[in-house]
Amino acid sequence: MHQHCKRPAGLAMEVQLLHSTISPSRPLYFVATRLTPRRPVFVRCCLSSADNGGRGGENSGTYGTPQAAQQRKAYPFDEIEPRWQLYWEENRTFRTPDEVDMSKPKCYILDMFPYPSGAGLHVGHPLGYTATDILSRYKRMKGFNVLHPMGWDAFGLPAEQYAIETGTHPKVTTMHNIRRFRSQLKSLGFSYDWDREISTTEPKYYKWTQWIFLQLLKKGLAYQAEVPVNWCPALGTVLANEEVINGVSERGSHPVIRKPMRQWMLKITAYADRLLEDLEELEWPESIKEMQRNWIGRSEGAEVEFGILDSDGSELGVKLSVYTTRPDTIFGVTYLVAAPEHSLLYSIISKEQLKHVEKYSELAARKSELERTELQKKKTGVFSGSYAKNPATGALIPIWIADYVLGSYGTGAIMAVPAHDFRDHEFALKYQIPIIKVVKPFEASHVLDEPYTGDGFAINSSNQLINLDINGLSCKEAASKVINWLESSSHGKKKVNYKLRDWLFARQRYWGEPFPIIFLDDTGEIVPLPENELPVTLPELDDFTPTGTGEPPLTRATSWVKTIDPISHRPARRETNTMPQWAGSCWYYLRFMDPNNSTALVEKSKERYWGPVDIYVGGAEHSVLHLLYARFWHKVLYDIGVVSTKEPFHCLINQGLILGQIEYTAYKDKDGKFVSADSDCNPSDHIQENISAEKVAKVGDFHVLKDNPNIRLIARAYKMSKSRGNVINPDDVISEYGADSLRLYEMFMGPLRDSKSWSTGGIEGVHRFLARTWRLIVGSPLPTGLYKDGTVVTNDEPTVDQFQSLHRCIAKVSEEIQGTRFNTGISAMMEFINAAYKWDRYPKSVIEPFVLLLSPYAPHMAEELWSRLGHSKSLAYEHFPVARTEYLSDSKIVLPVQINGKTRATIMVDETCSEDEAFRLASSDEKLSKFLLGKTIKKRIYVPRRILNVILETQKARS
C-alpha cells in the first residue's frame, strides 16, 4: 500500500491510523491531529498496489476531504463520523468519573455484554446497543449522571473449540475478536465509557468471580455431588446440554450417554421462593417473568411413601417416595413409574427383569432430558418385576421403569393415575394397565374416552378400613383431607416442590475460570484457598484437546496441579475443572461500577449510588438462565452485605430480532409453469424457485409476480445466518451510508421489541432524511462537491409557525424516547424537516434545539452541525430541549410586549388569556425578564389579543 498525500510544505503532521479494517469499499484514512484539535484533517491513502509515480490517480489522496467521495455521497458522513469518533475518544467525552456528584440523579443503562466471536457484528447486534445509546445520551442531556459501559463475556466453548481445531491459543483468538468488536462498536459512535471496559478473562476480574465462589462455599451453597452428565465416549469429554442434539454430539455427531460424575453444584434451589416472590417488583416483560416462574416451577402437593413388595407379596423393606400435586387422586393410582437412573433402581428390580431393565436404562441414557419429556414422543417402559402397595386402597400395583420420568425431578418416581393424566393414560393403554376414574367434572362436557385433568368432585375414593372417605368433595378439599390422612398415618407429608434443579457448575474444559479449591493428597479433603491467594490464574497450555478419560485438560498442567496448602503446608492438588461461561456474566454489572478496585468487588458507596441497573437491554434468549443465575448470585451478595438491593436489574427490555431481507419463493409445476402459492396443489409436488425483489409487486396483503399478478409468492424473512448467506455486515452499511444512517434505520424499522426484516430500500430512506437535514442547515454543496463552512441559519426571530413546529417536535421526541418508541420519535423529526423546507429562513433559535433533538439518534451529524453553529464544545452535555406548552395548542396568538412603550419581544398566549396570565408569561420570558428584574412597575396596560405594555417607574428601561 502506498500513501500519496499532498500537504503544505513544512507542515509537520502527527498521523494516526483511524480505520484498521481496509477494503476497497471503505478507503483507508489517516488523521492528522496536530493541525487543529477540533477539526482534524483527513488524508486518504491509495489502496492500489501500483506506486503510480506519486502522481495521484483514482485512489490517490488529496489534502482535505476527498472530492470524489464527496460527489458520490449524499452528505459527507465519511469525513464527519471518524472526526467525531476521534474527538470523543481523545477527549474521553463519555467517561463517567470515579467520583461523581451523588446529589444528582443517576441512570445506569446496560447492554447484555457480548461474546466476541470471530464473525464480528452483524446488523442485528446494534439494535439494542443503539437503543441504549439513545437513552444514555438523552439522560446525560437531562442532567443525570449516566453509567453506560461495555465489556466482554469472553470465556467459553467457542474460543476453545476454535483452539482445538486450529491449534491457536484461545487467549489469542479472544483478544483478536475483542479488538474487532471494539472497533466495530466505536465505528457506530456508541457513547460507552471505554475506561470501564472489562473482560471476564482478565485475572483481575475473575479474581472476584473466584471470591464469590468462596462465599457460596462458606454459606453451604456450593457443594460436590455425583450427578448425571452428558458423556461422549468418542470425544472423551462431558458436553453441556446445548452441545447435544438429538442424542448425539453437535461436534462430530457422536453418540452421547448420560452417566454419573462428581461435579460442583450451586444450591440455587435454596433461593427458589425469593426468586419467585421478587419478580413481582420488577419492570420486566410479563412473558419473561412467566418463563422464569415456569422454570422455577413451584408447586404444592404431597410426598407419598409406597411400600415395595416382590411378586410373591413379600415386603422388600424398601419404600418408594413419590411427589404429586394431585393427592386427591390417590385412589386412582394403578401403577408407579421410576426413572431409569433412580437411586433405588437395583433395590426394586427382580432377578427375572434385571437384564431387560439394564438394556432399557442403557437406551434411555442416550437421550437428552428434552427428548425424554417431549409430550409427542411415544411412551416406552419396562416392568421392574416388583410391586407397591397403594396406602389408600391396599391394592398391589406394578412398578414400571420408564424414561418419561426424570431422576432429576421430584423424587425420580411418580404415582400414575391414567384416568386423569395424558402421559399415564397413553402408557396404561399401551401396557394394558387398569384405569380407574376418581374425579367427576363439575360439568358433563368432558370427552369420555380421554383422561380428565381438570377440577371436579371425588368419586370412587373411599376406604372405610382406613377411615378415609373423600367422595363428593371438591378436588381442593379432597387433597387437603388426603394430606392430613397421610401425615396422621405416617404414609406421607405435605410438600412444596420445584422444577428448578441445583446448578451444575463445572466444566471439563480449559478456557474458563479456575476454581479456588485444592484437595489434600493424604485425605482428599476439600480446602478452599485463602482470599489472599486469589486470583488462581489459568496456566498456559499447548494441548487443549479432551483427555479421553473424562479428566479435564488442566490435568496436563502437572506443575500447576501439584501444589501446597498455604495454611497447613501439606501436599495438595488443584481442582482441574473450570467454571462455566455463565460465571463471569453473573455479576459483571457490579464491576462496571468500580472496575479498578483491587481490594473489593465493588466499593459500598458506589454500589449504593449506582445500583440497581436502571435499564437492561438484551435478547429474550437469555431470559431464563443468565437472568436467573445473575439474580441468584445477587441475592447471595445481598445476604452477605456486598450489595444493597435485592435485585440486580430494575427494568428489562428485550429487543426484537433483525431478520434477513425478505426472500420470495415461487412454485412451478412439472411443465415449468408458475403455480400460485394459494392453489390447492401440494407444494411438495412442485419445483421451488427464488424470485428477485425487482420482479415482485405487492397487491393488498400478498406478494405477486409483477409480470403475472395472478401468481402469488411465498414471502418470508429468515434469521441471519452464514448458511443462508443473508448476513449483513455493518461495516459495509457504514461504508455506503454512514453510521448515523445505520443507527437511525435500525430505530426506524419498527418498535424496538418487535422482530423485523432488513431492507436496503429502508436505509436509503433514512439516509435521504439525514442528507436533507444536512443541506437544510449547511446549504447546498459547491460545484466541487464540498460544502462551505458554517451554516445558512439566521438570527431572525422565529415565526409562530416555526415555534409551533419545533415545540411539537420536542414534545413528541421527548415522549417517545422515554417510552422507547424510537421509530415514532424519528417520524416527528422527519415531519419537522418537511415543514422546515417550506420556510424561507431558518432561525438559529429553532434550528439549534432541533440539532439537540437529533443528537441521540445521529450523534456524528449533530456534533458537526453544532460545531458549525458556532459552539466550541461537544453537545453531549447540553440541556435537552423542553417543550413550551404555549406552542403546543392551536388556539394561540402572538402577543407583543412593550416596556415603557417600546416593543421588546413577543409571547405566545391563549386567545382568552387574562392580564395576570399574560404578565406572568412575560415575566418568565428570557428576553423580557432582564428588563423587569429589580424594577418597580408603575402600571400595566393590557389590550386582550392586541398588546401588553408594562410601565416602569424608572426613567428609562435598560436597553
Side-chain angles (χ1 to χ4, degrees), residues 689-703:
E689 181 177 313
N690 293 331
I691 305 297
S692 62
E694 301 81 43
K695 298 180 180 179
V696 178
K698 191 171 184 183
V699 178
D701 294 331
F702 302 103
H703 293 86

Side-chain angles (χ1 to χ4, degrees), residues 731-955:
D731 296 345
D732 297 333
V733 179
I734 292 170
S735 175
E736 187 169 357
Y737 298 102
D740 282 344
S741 292
L742 176 57
R743 292 168 57 109
L744 210 64
Y745 174 56
E746 297 216 347
M747 295 296 98
F748 191 58
M749 292 173 76
L752 175 64
R753 295 159 178 81
D754 291 357
S755 293
K756 41 259 176 184
S757 56
W758 180 266
S759 167
T760 300
I763 195 169
E764 288 173 349
V766 296
H767 187 61
R768 286 194 297 272
F769 160 69
L770 288 175
R772 294 184 75 224
T773 302
W774 174 262
R775 291 193 301 272
L776 178 83
I777 299 173
V778 174
S780 299
L782 299 171
T784 60
L786 301 177
Y787 291 86
K788 290 181 180 179
D789 288 337
T791 66
V792 296
V793 302
T794 68
N795 290 318
D796 294 323
E797 184 72 17
T799 66
V800 174
D801 285 345
Q802 288 172 331
F803 266 137
Q804 286 181 330
S805 292
L806 171 66
H807 286 278
R808 287 171 182 168
C809 186
I810 292 172
K812 186 65 172 177
V813 172
S814 301
E815 179 184 354
E816 301 307 80
I817 286 180
Q818 293 177 76
T820 64
R821 297 179 294 269
F822 304 111
N823 54 322
T824 47
I826 295 170
S827 295
M829 290 188 283
M830 289 178 170
E831 291 174 9
F832 175 86
I833 290 298
N834 288 339
Y837 261 89
K838 299 174 184 177
W839 304 342
D840 56 2
R841 52 195 174 88
Y842 309 107
K844 189 174 184 178
S845 55
V846 171
I847 296 301
E848 279 196 344
F850 175 77
V851 170
L852 295 176
L853 290 181
L854 180 65
S855 64
Y857 290 87
H860 306 90
M861 175 181 281
E863 288 276 23
E864 180 68 16
L865 293 175
W866 192 250
S867 174
R868 284 172 172 263
L869 286 164
H871 301 279
S872 60
K873 293 183 179 180
S874 167
L875 53 66
Y877 296 91
E878 292 291 328
H879 293 299
F880 199 80
V882 177
R884 291 173 57 178
T885 56
E886 63 264 32
Y887 291 109
L888 301 180
S889 171
D890 290 328
S891 62
K892 297 289 183 180
I893 61 170
V894 180
L895 183 72
V897 179
Q898 295 181 345
I899 306 294
N900 288 349
K902 185 175 181 180
T903 300
R904 294 295 187 178
T906 60
I907 58 175
M908 290 288 296
V909 299
D910 287 322
E911 288 184 317
T912 58
C913 181
S914 67
E915 178 181 335
D916 288 341
E917 178 64 12
F919 180 73
R920 185 190 67 78
L921 291 170
S923 301
S924 62
D925 185 87
E926 185 178 353
K927 292 183 179 179
L928 293 168
S929 60
K930 64 181 180 180
F931 295 104
L932 301 173
L933 187 64
K935 302 296 175 64
T936 301
I937 297 172
K938 187 175 182 179
K939 66 176 180 177
R940 300 187 314 221
I941 301 172
Y942 179 58
V943 181
R945 304 177 64 179
R946 298 288 299 276
I947 196 167
L948 171 66
N949 187 6
V950 181
I951 308 299
L952 306 177
E953 283 194 349
T954 54
Q955 292 181 353

Side-chain angles (χ1 to χ4, degrees), residues 407-418:
S408 59
Y409 178 67
T411 63
I414 65 162
M415 61 180 217
V417 187

Side-chain angles (χ1 to χ4, degrees), residues 65-265:
T65 305
Q67 295 182 18
Q70 290 291 8
Q71 291 168 349
R72 290 193 300 271
K73 305 292 183 183
Y75 73 97
F77 62 82
D78 51 344
E79 173 196 350
I80 295 168
E81 292 179 356
R83 171 188 299 154
W84 286 101
Q85 289 164 19
L86 180 66
Y87 174 87
W88 295 328
E89 185 161 353
E90 288 185 339
N91 290 275
R92 300 164 80 192
T93 302
F94 307 113
R95 178 176 178 268
T96 304
D98 291 333
E99 304 298 331
V100 297
D101 179 1
M102 292 188 180
S103 65
K104 291 176 63 176
K106 66 91 179 180
C107 192
Y108 185 178
I109 302 175
L110 184 64
D111 300 294
M112 291 186 185
F113 72 167
Y115 187 90
S117 69
L121 298 174
H122 64 63
V123 292
H125 293 114
L127 179 64
Y129 302 155
T130 304
T132 58
D133 195 58
I134 291 170
L135 291 168
S136 298
R137 289 175 178 273
Y138 172 75
K139 287 292 186 178
R140 287 191 196 96
M141 298 173 78
K142 295 296 285 185
F144 284 73
N145 286 328
V146 173
L147 183 58
H148 186 41
M150 176 51 71
W152 318 105
D153 187 13
F155 272 133
L157 296 173
E160 182 165 344
Q161 291 299 102
Y162 185 80
I164 292 170
E165 293 165 6
T166 65
T168 309
H169 196 284
K171 183 177 182 179
V172 174
T173 56
T174 297
M175 294 308 298
H176 170 79
N177 296 342
I178 286 175
R179 285 192 295 270
R180 174 160 170 72
F181 263 61
R182 186 192 299 118
S183 173
Q184 287 184 299
L185 291 176
K186 286 186 175 182
S187 75
L188 282 156
F190 296 136
S191 61
Y192 294 123
D193 178 1
W194 287 105
D195 285 3
R196 292 176 183 259
E197 179 183 7
I198 59 174
S199 169
T200 57
T201 63
E202 297 170 354
K204 67 178 183 180
Y205 177 85
Y206 67 70
K207 165 187 177 179
W208 296 104
T209 308
Q210 294 170 342
W211 181 87
I212 295 172
F213 178 82
L214 291 178
Q215 312 316 306
L216 291 163
L217 192 65
K218 288 178 186 176
K219 286 182 64 66
L221 297 171
Y223 63 96
Q224 280 202 314
E226 193 169 86
V227 295
V229 297
N230 301 312
W231 170 253
C232 179
L235 295 177
T237 186
V238 169
L239 300 177
N241 285 334
E242 57 268 25
E243 297 175 279
V244 182
I245 299 174
N246 296 326
V248 298
S249 62
E250 183 180 30
R251 177 172 167 263
S253 297
H254 302 294
V256 175
I257 63 172
R258 299 279 286 175
K259 96 175 201 180
M261 290 184 68
R262 196 156 188 80
Q263 301 283 294
W264 280 103
M265 308 289 293

